[in-house]
PDB file of all heavy atoms in Angstrom:
ATOM      1  N   SER A  46       9.625 -44.648  39.550  1.00 98.00           N
ATOM      2  CA  SER A  46       8.450 -45.526  39.507  1.00 98.00           C
ATOM      3  C   SER A  46       7.867 -45.652  38.108  1.00 98.00           C
ATOM      4  O   SER A  46       6.968 -46.457  37.879  1.00 98.00           O
ATOM      5  CB  SER A  46       7.378 -45.025  40.484  1.00 98.00           C
ATOM      6  OG  SER A  46       6.959 -43.722  40.146  1.00 98.00           O
ATOM      7  N   ILE A  49      11.574 -42.854  32.341  1.00 98.00           N
ATOM      8  CA  ILE A  49      13.021 -42.936  32.173  1.00 98.00           C
ATOM      9  C   ILE A  49      13.694 -43.464  33.440  1.00 98.00           C
ATOM     10  O   ILE A  49      14.605 -44.305  33.366  1.00 98.00           O
ATOM     11  CB  ILE A  49      13.578 -41.544  31.765  1.00 98.00           C
ATOM     12  CG1 ILE A  49      13.090 -41.185  30.350  1.00 98.00           C
ATOM     13  CG2 ILE A  49      15.097 -41.512  31.846  1.00 98.00           C
ATOM     14  CD1 ILE A  49      13.372 -39.744  29.912  1.00 98.00           C
ATOM     15  N   ARG A  69       7.313 -40.511  45.015  1.00 98.00           N
ATOM     16  CA  ARG A  69       6.323 -40.127  46.040  1.00 98.00           C
ATOM     17  C   ARG A  69       5.152 -41.103  46.103  1.00 98.00           C
ATOM     18  O   ARG A  69       4.714 -41.493  47.172  1.00 98.00           O
ATOM     19  CB  ARG A  69       5.787 -38.718  45.739  1.00 98.00           C
ATOM     20  CG  ARG A  69       6.816 -37.629  45.896  1.00 98.00           C
ATOM     21  CD  ARG A  69       6.329 -36.361  45.246  1.00 98.00           C
ATOM     22  NE  ARG A  69       6.003 -36.595  43.836  1.00 98.00           N
ATOM     23  CZ  ARG A  69       5.426 -35.727  43.027  1.00 98.00           C
ATOM     24  NH1 ARG A  69       5.087 -34.542  43.480  1.00 98.00           N
ATOM     25  NH2 ARG A  69       5.167 -36.024  41.771  1.00 98.00           N
ATOM     26  N   GLY A  70       4.654 -41.521  44.954  1.00 98.00           N
ATOM     27  CA  GLY A  70       3.450 -42.359  44.930  1.00 98.00           C
ATOM     28  C   GLY A  70       3.772 -43.817  45.239  1.00 98.00           C
ATOM     29  O   GLY A  70       4.506 -44.476  44.488  1.00 98.00           O
ATOM     30  N   LEU A  95      11.676 -35.837  46.816  1.00 98.00           N
ATOM     31  CA  LEU A  95      13.005 -35.234  46.648  1.00 98.00           C
ATOM     32  C   LEU A  95      13.016 -33.740  46.944  1.00 98.00           C
ATOM     33  O   LEU A  95      14.085 -33.137  47.042  1.00 98.00           O
ATOM     34  CB  LEU A  95      13.534 -35.493  45.235  1.00 98.00           C
ATOM     35  CG  LEU A  95      13.951 -36.942  44.960  1.00 98.00           C
ATOM     36  CD1 LEU A  95      14.256 -37.142  43.487  1.00 98.00           C
ATOM     37  CD2 LEU A  95      15.166 -37.321  45.784  1.00 98.00           C
ATOM     38  N   ASN A 121      16.775 -38.268  38.818  1.00 98.00           N
ATOM     39  CA  ASN A 121      15.947 -38.297  37.604  1.00 98.00           C
ATOM     40  C   ASN A 121      14.648 -37.502  37.739  1.00 98.00           C
ATOM     41  O   ASN A 121      14.073 -37.087  36.746  1.00 98.00           O
ATOM     42  CB  ASN A 121      15.626 -39.755  37.252  1.00 98.00           C
ATOM     43  CG  ASN A 121      14.572 -39.861  36.157  1.00 98.00           C
ATOM     44  OD1 ASN A 121      14.852 -39.587  34.998  1.00 98.00           O
ATOM     45  ND2 ASN A 121      13.342 -40.214  36.540  1.00 98.00           N
ATOM     46  N   TYR A 183      11.997 -24.437  33.710  1.00 98.00           N
ATOM     47  CA  TYR A 183      12.428 -25.801  33.359  1.00 98.00           C
ATOM     48  C   TYR A 183      13.750 -25.746  32.603  1.00 98.00           C
ATOM     49  O   TYR A 183      14.714 -26.447  32.934  1.00 98.00           O
ATOM     50  CB  TYR A 183      11.339 -26.482  32.524  1.00 98.00           C
ATOM     51  CG  TYR A 183      11.626 -27.924  32.159  1.00 98.00           C
ATOM     52  CD1 TYR A 183      11.494 -28.943  33.103  1.00 98.00           C
ATOM     53  CD2 TYR A 183      12.032 -28.268  30.873  1.00 98.00           C
ATOM     54  CE1 TYR A 183      11.756 -30.271  32.761  1.00 98.00           C
ATOM     55  CE2 TYR A 183      12.295 -29.586  30.525  1.00 98.00           C
ATOM     56  CZ  TYR A 183      12.157 -30.583  31.473  1.00 98.00           C
ATOM     57  OH  TYR A 183      12.425 -31.894  31.141  1.00 98.00           O
ATOM     58  N   LYS A 187      17.347 -27.044  34.040  1.00 98.00           N
ATOM     59  CA  LYS A 187      18.025 -28.160  33.357  1.00 98.00           C
ATOM     60  C   LYS A 187      19.424 -27.735  32.900  1.00 98.00           C
ATOM     61  O   LYS A 187      20.357 -28.545  32.909  1.00 98.00           O
ATOM     62  CB  LYS A 187      17.189 -28.654  32.180  1.00 98.00           C
ATOM     63  CG  LYS A 187      15.896 -29.374  32.592  1.00 98.00           C
ATOM     64  CD  LYS A 187      16.144 -30.537  33.526  1.00 98.00           C
ATOM     65  CE  LYS A 187      14.944 -31.462  33.668  1.00 98.00           C
ATOM     66  NZ  LYS A 187      15.146 -32.529  34.670  1.00 98.00           N
ATOM     67  N   THR A 216      10.857 -38.105  24.726  1.00 98.00           N
ATOM     68  CA  THR A 216      10.858 -39.545  25.012  1.00 98.00           C
ATOM     69  C   THR A 216       9.448 -39.968  25.403  1.00 98.00           C
ATOM     70  O   THR A 216       8.861 -39.400  26.326  1.00 98.00           O
ATOM     71  CB  THR A 216      11.858 -39.849  26.168  1.00 98.00           C
ATOM     72  OG1 THR A 216      13.133 -39.298  25.829  1.00 98.00           O
ATOM     73  CG2 THR A 216      11.992 -41.345  26.397  1.00 98.00           C
TER      74      THR A 216
HETATM   75  P1  NAP B 164       7.836 -38.783  34.723  1.00 83.75           P
HETATM   76  O1  NAP B 164       7.022 -39.664  33.855  1.00 83.75           O
HETATM   77  O2  NAP B 164       7.206 -37.573  35.288  1.00 83.75           O
HETATM   78  O3  NAP B 164       8.451 -39.687  35.924  1.00 83.75           O
HETATM   79  C1  NAP B 164       9.133 -39.039  36.937  1.00 83.75           C
HETATM   80  C2  NAP B 164       9.413 -39.980  38.077  1.00 83.75           C
HETATM   81  O4  NAP B 164       9.892 -39.165  39.174  1.00 83.75           O
HETATM   82  C3  NAP B 164       8.177 -40.692  38.598  1.00 83.75           C
HETATM   83  O5  NAP B 164       8.582 -41.929  39.156  1.00 83.75           O
HETATM   84  C4  NAP B 164       7.672 -39.763  39.692  1.00 83.75           C
HETATM   85  O6  NAP B 164       6.873 -40.480  40.632  1.00 83.75           O
HETATM   86  C5  NAP B 164       8.995 -39.286  40.289  1.00 83.75           C
HETATM   87  N1  NAP B 164       8.921 -37.985  40.948  1.00 83.75           N
HETATM   88  C6  NAP B 164       8.364 -36.845  40.493  1.00 83.75           C
HETATM   89  N2  NAP B 164       8.479 -35.889  41.414  1.00 83.75           N
HETATM   90  C7  NAP B 164       9.138 -36.427  42.469  1.00 83.75           C
HETATM   91  C8  NAP B 164       9.545 -35.934  43.725  1.00 83.75           C
HETATM   92  N3  NAP B 164       9.286 -34.681  44.114  1.00 83.75           N
HETATM   93  N4  NAP B 164      10.205 -36.754  44.569  1.00 83.75           N
HETATM   94  C9  NAP B 164      10.451 -38.044  44.208  1.00 83.75           C
HETATM   95  N5  NAP B 164      10.084 -38.572  43.039  1.00 83.75           N
HETATM   96  C10 NAP B 164       9.429 -37.762  42.170  1.00 83.75           C
HETATM   97  O7  NAP B 164       9.168 -38.267  33.962  1.00 83.75           O
HETATM   98  P2  NAP B 164       9.937 -38.807  32.620  1.00 83.75           P
HETATM   99  O8  NAP B 164       9.210 -38.301  31.435  1.00 83.75           O
HETATM  100  O9  NAP B 164      10.265 -40.234  32.772  1.00 83.75           O
HETATM  101  O10 NAP B 164      11.271 -37.922  32.736  1.00 83.75           O
HETATM  102  C11 NAP B 164      12.308 -38.295  33.610  1.00 83.75           C
HETATM  103  C12 NAP B 164      13.394 -37.235  33.572  1.00 83.75           C
HETATM  104  O11 NAP B 164      13.821 -37.018  32.221  1.00 83.75           O
HETATM  105  C13 NAP B 164      12.963 -35.879  34.100  1.00 83.75           C
HETATM  106  O12 NAP B 164      14.034 -35.267  34.792  1.00 83.75           O
HETATM  107  C14 NAP B 164      12.668 -35.080  32.838  1.00 83.75           C
HETATM  108  O13 NAP B 164      12.817 -33.693  33.016  1.00 83.75           O
HETATM  109  C15 NAP B 164      13.705 -35.641  31.904  1.00 83.75           C
HETATM  110  N6  NAP B 164      13.349 -35.540  30.491  1.00 83.75           N
HETATM  111  C16 NAP B 164      12.247 -36.173  30.020  1.00 83.75           C
HETATM  112  C17 NAP B 164      11.928 -36.049  28.676  1.00 83.75           C
HETATM  113  C18 NAP B 164      10.727 -36.754  28.089  1.00 83.75           C
HETATM  114  O14 NAP B 164      10.436 -36.512  26.895  1.00 83.75           O
HETATM  115  N7  NAP B 164      10.019 -37.603  28.833  1.00 83.75           N
HETATM  116  C19 NAP B 164      12.715 -35.257  27.821  1.00 83.75           C
HETATM  117  C20 NAP B 164      13.827 -34.607  28.354  1.00 83.75           C
HETATM  118  C21 NAP B 164      14.143 -34.751  29.687  1.00 83.75           C
HETATM  119  P3  NAP B 164       5.865 -39.692  41.635  1.00 83.75           P
HETATM  120  O15 NAP B 164       5.117 -38.693  40.797  1.00 83.75           O
HETATM  121  O16 NAP B 164       5.012 -40.750  42.221  1.00 83.75           O
HETATM  122  O17 NAP B 164       6.728 -39.032  42.664  1.00 83.75           O
END
Side-chain angles (χ1 to χ4, degrees):
S46 61
I49 292 170
R69 293 165 304 173
L95 288 171
N121 170 73
Y183 183 76
K187 290 304 194 185
T216 307

